[in-house]
Amino acid sequence: MFRFEPDLTVFLHREPIDFRAGINSLVALVEQSMQLDPFARAVFAFHNRKRNRIKLLFYDRNGFWMMLRRLEEDHFVWPRRQQTVVKLTSEQLHWLLDGIVTDRRNRSIS
């Protein structure tokens, strides 16, 4: 599996999104809903209502990347923090993608 660089910042969008959204729609969500710069050196993560899919958006030199991961039998455990935008490290993002709970209070495997 791929690995993001350790010094990258990750921002999670709290609410589920319509997964028909493409790059332009996600960029608009980053700017308007999250009030962040989509061109920043960061990864922006979004999930669907069932939390069995996750989309990652990031800008790399001269274009955007959008990655999608779909789980067949499980769901992603999104942090329960109350902030509008949750900030993680790239290591915590890899934990989330691997099914490990990223909340500091509860570091168990889901």
Side-chain angles (χ1 to χ4, degrees):
M1 185 169 112
F2 70 94
R3 301 296 289 177
F4 285 111
E5 296 175 18
D7 61 338
L8 249 149
T9 304
V10 178
F11 295 102
L12 305 182
H13 188 267
R14 293 286 307 142
E15 298 300 318
I17 66 163
D18 180 347
F19 253 53
R20 294 174 291 183
I23 290 175
N24 293 339
S25 297
L26 295 179
V27 167
L29 273 173
V30 169
E31 289 176 328
Q32 296 168 7
S33 177
M34 300 172 81
Q35 298 191 350
L36 295 168
D37 178 10
F39 298 98
R41 194 167 165 355
V43 176
F44 304 95
F46 305 87
H47 68 88
N48 65 343
R49 194 163 301 284
K50 292 181 182 180
R51 287 185 316 193
N52 65 343
R53 295 180 186 197
I54 188 170
K55 278 189 179 181
L56 303 177
L57 176 75
F58 59 97
Y59 186 79
D60 182 29
R61 286 180 244 160
N62 64 354
F64 282 99
W65 281 87
M66 183 176 68
M67 302 174 80
L68 169 74
R69 178 152 192 211
R70 180 181 74 188
L71 298 179
E72 297 298 326
E73 298 180 16
D74 208 352
H75 67 273
F76 295 103
V77 180
W78 223 245
R80 293 187 177 133
R81 302 177 207 163
Q82 296 304 311
Q83 301 102 321
T84 305
V85 178
V86 177
K87 185 176 175 182
L88 299 179
T89 65
S90 62
E91 181 180 31
Q92 289 171 316
L93 173 63
H94 289 289
W95 293 343
L96 184 136
L97 294 173
D98 289 340
I100 300 171
V101 177
T102 58
D103 277 338
R104 289 187 181 112
R105 298 181 303 271
N106 188 5
R107 294 258 174 131
S108 62
I109 296 178
S110 60

